[in-house]
Amino acid sequence: MFTAWGTETAKKFTAQEIESALHCLDTGRYGIVLRAKGIVPNTDGSWIHFDYVPGEANVRSGGAAVTGKLCVIGAQLDELAVGKLFGV
């Protein structure tokens, strides 16, 4: 059974913070993560867009959104730990 964890946030991130968090999803500590994606504000005023599938993360700059959004999809997700990983 798949579950999805998602949240909206105004928290600002750096691209390095997002890349690090996505790398952590490969460890198995957060459940079996099949996909993650999001748009979050960057500390420099731009916006970070990201996509993740196991073993592959794509982090890039993109257009603005009204608020940041994070979504992680998988099985046996530790939703509390995922939230802590992203600091939200």
Side-chain angles (χ1 to χ4, degrees):
M1 174 192 255
F2 297 115
T3 58
W5 171 89
T7 191
E8 292 184 351
T9 183
K11 179 181 176 187
K12 295 182 179 185
F13 296 85
T14 65
Q16 185 177 11
E17 288 172 320
I18 294 296
E19 288 173 4
S20 177
L22 297 178
H23 177 71
C24 287
L25 295 177
D26 279 330
T27 65
R29 286 182 275 174
Y30 304 92
I32 303 166
V33 178
L34 302 175
R35 179 155 165 68
K37 60 183 179 175
I39 302 170
V40 293
N42 194 329
T43 56
D44 69 6
S46 65
W47 287 79
I48 299 168
H49 293 232
F50 66 88
D51 293 287
Y52 163 89
V53 293
E56 185 178 333
N58 181 339
V59 179
R60 61 203 178 278
S61 293
V66 175
T67 188
K69 297 176 185 174
L70 301 158
C71 180
V72 177
I73 302 165
Q76 302 168 347
L77 290 180
D78 183 341
E79 295 181 23
L80 184 61
V82 171
K84 287 182 180 180
L85 175 65
F86 287 98
V88 295

